[in-house]
């Protein structure tokens, strides 16, 4: 394997690692947002805490 091939392979791996870090960061941001939105929903509509997810979806879709 030549030096150029090694450098190209290293660059590819660095790019893949950066993309993996970005995916983790995006997933954590989404998880945080979903938790915050759920907390706001429960605060505004306390009755939703006892609902199944399918019932909650139906309830919210009726409110449109």
């Amino acid at each position: 394997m030549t030096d150029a091939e090694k450098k190209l392979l290293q660059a590819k791996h660095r790019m893949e690692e950066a993309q993996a870090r970005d995916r983790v960061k995006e997933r954590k941001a989404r998880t945080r947002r979903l938790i915050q939105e759920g907390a706001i929903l429960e605060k505004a509509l306390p009755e939703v805490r006892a609902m199944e997810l399918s019932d909650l979806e139906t309830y919210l879709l009726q409110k449109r």
Side-chain angles (χ1 to χ4, degrees):
M1 184 176 279
T2 67
D3 258 1
E5 290 173 331
K6 287 180 185 178
K7 287 181 181 182
L8 185 61
L9 187 58
Q10 287 175 343
K12 180 183 174 188
H13 287 156
R14 280 194 298 274
M15 173 92 62
E16 289 171 353
E17 288 174 0
Q19 289 171 342
R21 283 191 302 271
D22 288 344
R23 283 191 303 272
V24 168
K25 190 183 290 187
E26 289 172 7
R27 189 177 68 243
K28 286 184 178 186
R30 179 177 185 269
T31 299
R32 178 177 170 81
R33 179 182 54 82
L34 291 172
I35 290 169
Q36 290 173 331
E37 289 174 354
I40 291 169
L41 176 64
E42 286 184 351
K43 185 177 179 183
L45 302 167
E47 65 271 18
V48 302
R49 289 183 186 160
M51 290 183 183
E52 295 291 327
L53 287 178
S54 59
D55 296 335
L56 174 60
E57 181 179 13
T58 302
Y59 177 80
L60 292 174
L61 290 173
Q62 289 173 353
K63 295 291 183 182
R64 289 171 111 184

